[in-house]
Amino acid sequence: MRVPVEWMREYVAVPQDASGVDIAADLVSVGLEEEGLHTGGVTGPLVVGRVVSKDPEPQKNGKTINWCSVDVGDANGTGEPQGIVCGAHNFEPGDLVVVILPGGVLTTPHGPLEVSARKTYGHVSAGMICSERELGIGDDHDGILVLDRRFAGDPDLLARLTPGTDAIPLLGLDRETVEVNVTPDRGYCFSVRGVAREYGHATGASFTDPVTDLDARAPEPTDGGFAVELRDDAPIRGRDGCDRYVARVVRGIDVAAPTPPWMATRLTEAGMRPISLPVDVTNYVMLGLGQPLHAFDLATLEAPIVVRRARSGERLTTLDDADRALDTGDLLITDRGGERPVAIAGVMGGAATEVGAQTRDVLIEAAHFDPVSIARAARRHKLPSEASRRFERGVDTALAAAAAQLAVDLLVEHGGGVADDDVTDVGTPDAPAAVSMPVGFPSVIAGVDYPEADVVRILEEVGCTVTREADVLSVVPPTWRPDLTTAPDLVEEVARIHGYDEIPSVLPTPPGGSGLTHGQRVRRTVADVLAGQGLSEVWSAPFVGADRYAALGLDVDAEVARSVRLANPLSDEQPLMRTRLLATMVDALRRNVARGTRDVALFEIGLVVDHDGERRPAPTEDVGVRPSDEVLDAIRAAVPSQPRHIGLLLAGDRDRAGWWGAGRTADVTDVIDLARVLGEALGVEVRTARDTAAPFHPGRCARVELADGTVVGHVGELHPKVVAALGLPARTVAGELDLDVLTQAAEETVQARTLTTFPMAQSDVALVVDEAVEAVSVEAALRDGAGPTLESLALFDVYHGDQLEPGRKSLAYRLTFRAADRTLTTDEVSGLRDSAVAAAATRTGAVQR
């Protein structure tokens, strides 16, 4: 919202020496956000000039330019007339114009433009005669600004203008405009009136509400006004779409009458383009008071006006000449007893009733519409108009009559119209509901001791009516503050008016024993360990399409059944929530490789969807009201399971080549090792076993499981078809583990063992088994057979060769034994080894080599 400082001075006593910077700082102190500070954008010598001569000169290109002599007084340092080339023709010798001399700077859409003396059309043009658009005070660019016409209504001012007079203050180009960002709960600040009120709160400056005088002059409603009916057969949240409609008629308006310069200047400073008197008046009232208005050509309306919801199949051509299909949720303004739509209420009017050049009589609409209805219609039709921005944030329910009166006054004064005595005012908005608040509640919430007298004073200052019953204040908010509905809302008002800087900054002291949860500690440990192993963490958007599951070689129907389809996906090609991290992580790998990174090691910790139960529809509730506990329970029950996974992706070299020697390409052993390293870091014993699972190569895939057989996930080399389908580097290895399973397993306390000083004893054994026998099975048998004195077991060699029968392999293990109470003898160690070998022979058919 752009607020011209001079306009704001009409409503609040802003000191004359207060700068825009000072005003912005004061507004920030009461919670508004400063967006910027604007001035006219013209610097340097900009003066009044009188045209001495105007000589037309036809050019070869068919264009006629004027070689002008312009008296600029002493502004050029010589007192001699200035020679200027001008392409406009809407002025004559003797007219007063605005001239920017060499050295002056204009602000254009393309940046600053410094004016200089330059040769053009055979003359040296020393300056420029300016148009309204070039000065940034209007939209007229066809002709230059003639001051005799602009200030025709102020002959005294024209008499004082002489060549050389500084035109910057004359045109208000030195005036400042403060721009503030209006948050959704401060809709009343979408007006000069609202911002001026906030400045009064911030500084104590006297605020004069313009609505008070307008309400006093507004006539009482009569029975003879233009007929209006409110019929909402589908209210939202029990609230009618329109609860008040004021209609005023002004006849005999000259729509061609010029908009007063002061009004055009204020509109321009506020960021709106002057268009015509009726439109400018409605915009001026909206910006000044915050009440959107709409002007209808009365000759095109047939009574009665009916405010209702749209019917199926209805259409409307709006003012932007767009033919729009209306939704049954749209709130409409209709005439002919409800038969013809003429406007989308609070959003945009229709072309059929637009005020045009032939208009003589207008009907001014000032209504109060339901914020939710207007917000939905504006978004549905993609029409974020100035009116809808205000309605959807909440407009003062008591403002309609005053705003209509101001519009009528301006049209009568500047358009020559006559207002009808009859006034239409139908509907009764709900009065603001009282809010109960304990007297000491603001002090408890804000941590500042607010005396009761200060609390009452501040609430009354912002417009509330306050009464006390025992230790509870009953507060009735003003009609312009629909956001004040709870006690915490009132606390915010007390805190911001008293001063946010008065609230102490106190760091909370956490109670003993609190800190990170177990799950948070596990996630940090996992991330630190993987980063220490040289992997880079990534985040990938959790949206996929069914084609991605097909590319991964997965059962598409099964994955889609486990997933959740988004009601409003960002992309129609990715309407599903992922069920696997690898489904989205591969995009990060491809992107890195495409940018020239050959050796990539990535990991991601993220959520996936696993909808393995009955699908329950989630109930929907309107925002702004806390759902009941039953509704919240139903919403939670409809949310699918979302386990947290760890994704791993490695491509290129794992050990890089250099002067130290050759590198090594990442392979399946690297992701197996990462899984084991994670288990060790979390104090969880994990084992790997050969398995077959998509999207991995069937011969290079390992299942990761806990000691009790619980599956944690799979790691391995991606299938060649998957690599080809996704455009990944050859022999890419990957893994996906269920972090929730590891987190739960890590909850068990690790039992420390007493250190022993007795020596260890090692014994190596080589076992020949069939090629199909997994090393993990042999290892498990050796552990069980060796007994409790086995301290560690490691596979250190795998042999395939001529010394073995076809289809056989040799596995060499190193067994480490240690007793806690004595030194083991050689015979004891040999016996333990033989026992382990015997167990392996029985369970896997192993033969000692």
Side-chain angles (χ1 to χ4, degrees):
M1 174 70 189
R2 293 193 177 199
V3 184
V5 172
E6 293 304 315
W7 192 352
M8 192 169 71
R9 291 184 194 276
E10 286 192 4
Y11 302 156
V12 65
V14 180
Q16 290 299 319
D17 59 348
S19 66
V21 173
D22 298 332
I23 295 172
D26 291 330
L27 294 175
V28 168
S29 71
V30 289
L32 294 178
E33 300 177 12
E34 179 188 356
E35 284 290 303
L37 189 63
H38 309 277
T39 57
V42 179
T43 59
L46 183 76
V47 299
V48 174
R50 186 179 299 278
V51 179
V52 177
S53 64
K54 171 187 170 185
D55 298 322
E57 296 182 358
Q59 303 298 311
K60 294 180 181 179
N61 58 7
K63 181 179 179 180
T64 299
I65 62 96
N66 296 303
W67 172 239
C68 305
S69 177
V70 184
D71 180 8
V72 294
D74 295 331
N76 59 2
T78 65
E80 297 294 326
Q82 200 86 347
I84 300 175
V85 172
C86 183
H89 305 284
N90 65 323
F91 63 99
E92 298 297 335
D95 285 344
L96 291 173
V97 295
V98 177
V99 179
I100 187 166
L101 299 174
V105 178
L106 295 173
T107 299
T108 73
H110 307 291
L113 172 65
E114 183 174 354
V115 178
S116 60
R118 61 189 183 92
K119 187 172 184 180
T120 178
Y121 294 107
H123 300 281
V124 176
S125 181
M128 187 168 75
I129 306 176
C130 301
S131 69
E132 289 184 357
R133 182 184 294 180
E134 290 163 341
L135 294 172
I137 61 173
D139 199 49
D140 187 3
H141 191 60
D142 296 331
I144 57 101
L145 173 61
V146 179
L147 298 177
D148 305 80
R149 291 194 286 269
R150 183 175 181 85
F151 298 110
D154 193 346
D156 292 338
L157 174 63
L158 286 174
R160 294 195 302 271
L161 295 182
T162 58
T165 301
D166 188 357
I168 289 181
L170 173 68
L171 300 175
L173 296 176
D174 59 340
R175 300 195 298 191
E176 294 180 301
T177 297
V178 177
E179 184 175 2
V180 295
N181 179 35
V182 180
T183 54
D185 61 331
R186 300 286 178 84
Y188 65 96
C189 286
F190 256 126
S191 66
V192 178
R193 175 199 184 204
V195 176
R197 189 190 303 274
E198 290 301 302
Y199 181 80
H201 295 331
T203 63
S206 175
F207 171 72
T208 302
D209 192 347
V211 172
T212 303
D213 177 63
L214 292 169
D215 276 334
R217 293 191 290 105
E220 294 295 323
T222 63
D223 295 332
F226 199 94
V228 176
E229 300 176 17
L230 308 181
R231 302 180 197 162
D232 187 357
D233 55 1
I236 297 176
R237 295 189 302 175
R239 296 178 59 177
D240 290 335
C242 177
D243 53 19
R244 188 182 187 188
Y245 194 106
V246 174
R248 299 287 302 274
V249 174
V250 182
R251 303 181 187 273
I253 294 175
D254 179 9
V255 295
T259 299
W262 60 267
M263 184 184 296
T265 298
R266 287 183 173 181
L267 290 173
T268 303
E269 290 174 344
M272 301 195 77
R273 178 172 59 91
I275 299 175
S276 66
L277 179 63
V279 175
D280 294 345
V281 165
T282 57
N283 285 338
Y284 178 80
V285 174
M286 177 183 67
L287 292 172
L289 303 183
Q291 170 69 56
L293 304 178
H294 187 69
F296 294 97
D297 184 341
L298 185 63
T300 64
L301 290 176
E302 296 182 30
I305 285 176
V306 176
V307 184
R308 62 168 174 83
R309 300 285 173 178
R311 299 165 184 160
S312 179
E314 283 189 304
R315 305 186 71 86
L316 173 67
T317 300
T318 46
L319 290 174
D320 57 357
D321 293 327
D323 181 28
R324 301 183 183 277
L326 301 176
D327 186 91
T328 54
D330 292 338
L331 189 67
L332 302 181
I333 309 299
T334 66
D335 70 345
R336 300 176 185 173
E339 292 304 313
R340 181 180 68 154
V342 296
I344 302 175
V347 179
M348 184 173 284
T353 55
E354 179 181 9
V355 173
Q358 305 305 316
T359 301
R360 291 297 175 266
D361 307 329
V362 299
L363 182 144
I364 300 297
E365 167 196 280
H368 183 264
F369 299 117
D370 173 50
V372 175
S373 296
I374 303 308
R376 291 180 179 178
R379 285 156 179 75
R380 188 180 295 122
H381 295 286
K382 297 180 174 60
L383 282 175
S385 63
E386 291 293 333
S388 68
R389 288 191 184 96
R390 287 162 174 80
F391 278 125
E392 66 188 34
R393 287 167 171 80
V395 171
D396 186 351
T397 58
L399 188 58
Q405 181 62 43
L406 179 56
V408 168
D409 291 344
L410 293 172
L411 288 174
V412 169
E413 179 180 357
H414 301 288
V418 177
D420 280 5
D421 294 331
D422 292 317
V423 175
T424 301
D425 190 345
V426 297
T428 304
D430 293 335
V435 179
S436 296
M437 181 180 70
V439 172
F441 191 62
S443 299
V444 172
I445 297 299
V448 177
D449 183 18
Y450 296 118
E452 178 185 350
D454 288 350
V455 172
V456 173
R457 175 186 58 78
I458 290 173
L459 292 177
E460 290 179 341
E461 183 180 332
V462 299
C464 298
T465 301
V466 185
T467 57
R468 176 171 179 171
E469 299 177 5
D471 292 331
V472 177
L473 298 179
S474 179
V475 183
V476 179
T479 54
W480 61 85
R481 292 301 302 272
D483 58 304
L484 301 182
T485 59
T486 65
D489 295 333
L490 301 177
V491 173
E492 181 181 0
E493 293 303 297
V494 173
R496 74 184 186 88
I497 300 301
H498 188 271
Y500 285 134
D501 55 340
E502 298 295 326
I503 300 176
S505 298
V506 179
L507 292 176
T509 302
S514 64
L516 297 178
T517 65
H518 173 66
Q520 290 172 327
R521 289 195 297 270
V522 167
R523 291 196 291 275
R524 291 194 179 187
T525 298
V526 168
D528 290 343
V529 168
L530 292 176
Q533 292 291 319
L535 281 69
S536 299
E537 185 172 12
V538 298
W539 178 89
S540 56
F543 311 121
V544 296
D547 57 338
R548 177 57 55 85
Y549 295 135
L552 290 170
L554 303 170
D555 185 335
V556 176
D557 293 338
E559 297 299 323
V560 171
R562 291 172 52 203
S563 184
V564 173
R565 184 174 294 273
L566 299 171
N568 186 24
L570 295 177
S571 169
D572 291 337
E573 297 178 354
Q574 297 176 321
L576 302 173
M577 297 293 290
R578 68 188 176 194
T579 59
R580 300 170 184 252
L581 282 185
L582 291 179
T584 56
M585 278 189 69
V586 292
D587 293 326
L589 175 59
R590 289 193 303 181
R591 191 175 298 110
N592 278 275
V593 172
R595 283 165 170 73
T597 304
R598 298 176 57 187
D599 307 320
V600 184
L602 308 176
F603 79 94
E604 179 175 357
I605 301 175
L607 299 176
V608 299
V609 171
D610 189 2
H611 211 321
D612 55 355
E614 178 186 356
R615 292 180 182 265
R616 303 180 181 89
T620 58
E621 292 284 318
D622 288 324
V623 298
V625 178
R626 183 186 184 277
S628 64
D629 292 339
E630 292 76 12
V631 171
L632 290 174
D633 291 340
I635 292 174
R636 296 187 185 100
V639 176
S641 174
Q642 299 180 73
R644 196 179 301 274
H645 283 194
I646 309 167
L648 308 169
L649 271 177
L650 285 75
D653 286 348
R654 183 66 175 140
D655 296 331
R656 298 185 178 181
W659 57 264
W660 52 85
R664 181 182 64 83
T665 302
D667 58 29
V668 66
T669 62
D670 291 299
V671 284
I672 291 176
D673 182 60
L674 289 174
R676 289 177 172 170
V677 168
L678 288 177
E680 292 176 359
L682 298 176
V684 176
E685 182 182 355
V686 297
R687 300 175 181 177
T688 56
R690 181 184 301 174
D691 203 352
T692 301
F696 301 103
H697 190 294
R700 299 169 188 153
C701 173
R703 180 179 67 257
V704 182
E705 58 187 27
L706 302 179
D708 62 1
T710 302
V711 177
V712 178
H714 290 82
V715 296
E717 182 181 315
L718 293 180
H719 197 288
K721 291 184 179 179
V722 173
V723 169
L726 296 175
L728 303 177
R731 307 296 295 271
T732 296
V733 293
E736 184 158 348
L737 308 177
D738 191 327
L739 183 55
D740 287 349
V741 172
L742 290 174
T743 300
Q744 184 176 1
E747 289 181 350
E748 297 183 9
T749 302
V750 177
Q751 183 63 50
R753 293 184 298 179
T754 302
L755 296 177
T756 178
T757 59
F758 292 99
M760 66 179 181
Q762 292 182 334
S763 179
D764 295 344
V765 60
L767 303 176
V768 178
V769 296
D770 289 338
E771 191 70 52
V773 175
E774 297 179 356
V776 67
S777 300
V778 177
E779 180 180 331
L782 289 172
R783 287 184 180 278
D784 292 341
T789 57
L790 180 67
E791 185 175 79
S792 65
L793 174 66
L795 174 67
F796 66 86
D797 184 56
V798 179
Y799 174 73
H800 302 80
D802 297 339
Q803 299 181 24
L804 299 177
E805 298 176 7
R808 304 278 281 178
K809 62 183 177 182
S810 174
L811 304 176
Y813 291 92
R814 176 162 295 146
L815 291 77
T816 301
F817 298 94
R818 191 195 306 263
D821 56 351
R822 68 188 190 281
T823 299
L824 295 174
T825 65
T826 301
D827 291 341
E828 285 179 313
V829 172
S830 298
L832 293 172
R833 180 199 61 202
D834 293 343
S835 178
V837 171
T842 301
R843 290 166 54 175
T844 65
V847 177
Q848 188 169 2
R849 186 178 170 195

